[in-house]
């Protein structure tokens, strides 16, 4: 009976370990934990024989084979990782190029914006100059138009009748004879170059007669008639009419803006007068005051207790409407 004990080789026991969580690598590649791989190797390795030791493949022979498989496995995984890294590197290079291109584009846009801003400032300055020139030329044109009408008189309220419209020159002479005969007695030249209604066509919806524009040959005679018309009410065959200076439409509108203030100033005895082109003058506290704008007059009236509150044009317009 053999007393020799068989060489006890450590048997590989199956470890009841829970599989650990897998490792996540680039782009979702899954690599098992090293300990788990070793456990799998030991589980799959052939067990050595306890008898005569004639096992078909011992553990020592199996271990190099599994080592090669593990090396091949890791080489494959490393190759995949290198490919992924190369791909990422290429993507990074492309992104960097795009980033540099965008930076250059931004700098170009900023430079263009700066240039455009400077151009906008220049255009604004040019526009301001053009507006000033337009305003100057407009005022100059209005002044020239008014000077071209300096020999004219505007007759307001003359009835719309065929016998009047066909003989306006003779009607104007009758008005002069009726209201200021002293001009004729002094030998003044009261002849007119032409006289016509304005506007040229009659509006049937309008109840008031059209104005009459008369151009006199003598500026001095025209001025004498105008001065007499400012002193008293003119009439034509007993009917009241009004004679004023003929002016450009824009100047007439500027003068009409003074109407409410003019009437109130007349009621207060301020002796108001509209002088050329559209300037209001009043006589107050022994002095003559002149105003080119309504705002200037309103500011003047607010500072005088005698006039404060009596020229509130906004309230007057509200009451009239």
């Amino acid at each position: 009976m053999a007393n020799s004990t068989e060489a006890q080789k450590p048997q590989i026991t199956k470890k009841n370990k829970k599989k650990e969580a897998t490792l996540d690598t680039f782009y979702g590649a899954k690599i098992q934990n090293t300990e788990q791989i070793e456990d799998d190797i030991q589980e799959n390795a052939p067990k050595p024989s306890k008898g005569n030791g004639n096992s078909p493949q011992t553990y020592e022979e199996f271990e190099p084979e599994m080592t090669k498989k593990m090396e091949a496995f890791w080489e494959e995984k490393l190759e995949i990782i290198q490919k992924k890294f190369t791909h990422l590197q290429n993507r990074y290079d492309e992104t960097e190029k795009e980033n540099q291109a965008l930076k250059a584009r931004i700098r170009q846009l900023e430079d263009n914006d700066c240039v455009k801003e400077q151009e906008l400032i220049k255009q604004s300055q040019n526009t301001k100059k053009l507006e000033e020139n337009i305003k100057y030329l407009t005022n100059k044109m209005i002044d020239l138009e008014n000077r071209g009408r300096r020999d004219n008189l505007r007759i307001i309220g003359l009835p719309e009748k065929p016998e009047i419209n066909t003989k306006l020159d003779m009607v104007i002479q009758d008005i002069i004879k009726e209201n200021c005969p002293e001009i004729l007695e002094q030998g003044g030249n009261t002849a007119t170059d032409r006289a016509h209604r304005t506007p040229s066509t009659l509006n049937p919806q309008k109840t008031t007669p059209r104005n009459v524009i008369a151009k006199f040959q003598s500026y001095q005679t025209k001025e004498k008639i105008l001065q007499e018309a400012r002193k008293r009410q003119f009439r034509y065959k007993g009917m009241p009419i009004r004679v004023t200076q003929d002016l450009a439409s824009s100047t007439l509108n500027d003068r009409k803006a003074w109407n409410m203030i003019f009437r109130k100033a007349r009621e207060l005895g301020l002796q108001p007068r509209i002088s050329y082109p559209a300037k209001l003058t009043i006589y107050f506290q022994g002095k003559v005051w002149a105003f080119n704008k309504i705002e200037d007059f309103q500011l003047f009236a607010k500072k005088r207790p005698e006039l404060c509150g009596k020229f509130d044009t906004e309230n007057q317009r509200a009451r009239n409407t």
Side-chain angles (χ1 to χ4, degrees):
M1 188 171 115
N3 292 328
S4 62
T5 59
E6 296 179 354
Q8 298 294 326
K9 292 186 178 180
Q11 293 187 358
I12 301 173
T13 61
K14 185 182 297 183
K15 297 180 181 180
N16 296 324
K17 293 182 180 180
K18 295 183 180 179
K19 293 184 178 181
E20 297 182 0
T22 58
L23 300 177
D24 293 340
T25 59
F26 296 105
Y27 293 90
K30 305 296 183 179
I31 301 177
Q32 292 180 335
N33 188 281
T34 306
E35 294 180 358
Q36 182 179 348
I37 296 173
E38 292 177 354
D39 291 343
D40 292 341
I41 295 172
Q42 291 178 2
E43 290 175 1
N44 296 327
K47 307 298 185 295
S49 175
K50 294 182 179 180
N52 53 12
N54 296 323
S55 61
Q57 188 177 15
T58 62
Y59 179 78
E60 288 78 5
E61 296 174 348
F62 178 75
E63 184 176 6
E65 182 179 352
M66 292 305 299
T67 303
K68 292 180 180 180
K69 290 183 178 180
M70 288 181 62
E71 290 176 354
F73 171 81
W74 285 112
E75 287 177 359
E76 180 182 358
K77 295 301 180 182
L78 181 60
E79 184 179 356
I80 294 173
I81 293 173
Q82 288 177 346
K83 289 181 180 180
K84 299 296 184 181
F85 179 79
T86 304
H87 177 72
L88 287 174
Q89 184 67 36
N90 294 336
R91 290 292 301 274
Y92 173 79
D93 294 340
E94 292 176 0
T95 304
E96 184 66 21
K97 290 180 181 179
E98 292 177 358
N99 186 30
Q100 295 297 330
L102 289 174
K103 287 182 179 179
R105 181 62 176 166
I106 290 172
R107 285 194 296 269
Q108 183 180 1
L109 290 174
E110 289 176 349
D111 295 340
N112 293 340
D113 186 64
C114 182
V115 173
K116 289 181 179 179
E117 185 176 357
Q118 294 176 355
E119 291 178 354
L120 185 61
I121 293 174
K122 292 180 180 179
Q123 289 179 358
S124 178
Q125 294 174 349
N126 293 335
T127 301
K128 186 176 180 180
K129 291 180 180 179
L130 288 174
E131 289 176 351
E132 293 175 354
N133 291 338
I134 290 172
K135 184 178 180 180
Y136 170 78
L137 292 174
T138 301
N139 294 334
K140 190 69 174 177
M141 181 191 68
I142 294 172
D143 182 67
L144 290 174
E145 185 177 355
N146 287 330
R147 292 181 184 277
R149 296 169 181 259
R150 65 196 302 269
D151 296 333
N152 297 356
L153 284 179
R154 183 181 290 263
I155 304 171
I156 304 171
L158 199 61
E160 284 273 3
K161 295 181 179 180
E163 59 272 18
I164 295 178
N165 293 341
T166 56
K167 299 179 181 180
L168 287 175
D169 293 334
M170 297 179 60
V171 170
I172 292 170
Q173 298 300 320
D174 294 339
I175 293 173
I176 295 173
K177 290 177 183 179
E178 184 176 352
N179 296 278
C180 45
E182 62 276 7
I183 295 178
L184 295 174
E185 294 173 359
Q186 295 173 2
N189 181 14
T190 59
T192 56
D193 286 337
R194 58 184 176 274
H196 61 88
R197 293 274 187 179
T198 181
S200 57
T201 57
L202 178 63
N203 186 359
Q205 297 180 352
K206 206 169 184 182
T207 57
T208 57
R210 293 173 293 169
N211 296 344
V212 175
I213 306 296
K215 179 176 177 59
F216 287 82
Q217 294 180 355
S218 173
Y219 172 78
Q220 289 76 13
T221 301
K222 187 269 305 183
E223 282 294 311
K224 290 179 181 179
I225 297 172
L226 187 60
Q227 290 174 4
E228 294 296 326
R230 288 171 179 165
K231 295 177 183 178
R232 58 183 182 273
Q233 177 70 61
F234 270 34
R235 295 181 177 274
Y236 173 68
K237 295 182 179 181
M239 293 181 296
I241 59 173
R242 191 155 61 94
V243 178
T244 62
Q245 175 68 47
D246 179 39
L247 296 169
S249 58
S250 58
T251 305
L252 290 175
N253 292 333
D254 292 340
R255 289 192 169 200
K256 286 180 181 178
W258 290 104
N259 283 350
M260 299 181 68
I261 295 176
F262 186 91
R263 288 195 295 268
K264 189 63 179 180
R266 179 178 287 177
E267 293 175 3
L268 297 176
L270 300 178
Q271 303 176 17
R273 182 178 175 182
I274 303 295
S275 57
Y276 181 82
K279 181 169 64 176
L280 174 70
T281 59
I282 61 172
Y283 186 78
F284 179 71
Q285 294 181 349
K287 296 181 181 179
V288 177
W289 304 83
F291 307 93
N292 292 318
K293 297 180 180 179
I294 295 178
E295 292 78 7
D296 296 339
F297 176 82
Q298 289 176 338
L299 183 62
F300 172 83
K302 287 180 180 179
K303 295 180 179 179
R304 271 69 181 178
E306 303 90 338
L307 305 177
C308 184
K310 296 181 180 180
F311 292 92
D312 192 349
T313 57
E314 296 296 331
N315 291 337
Q316 290 179 13
R317 290 194 185 98
R319 287 195 296 269
N320 293 337
T321 54

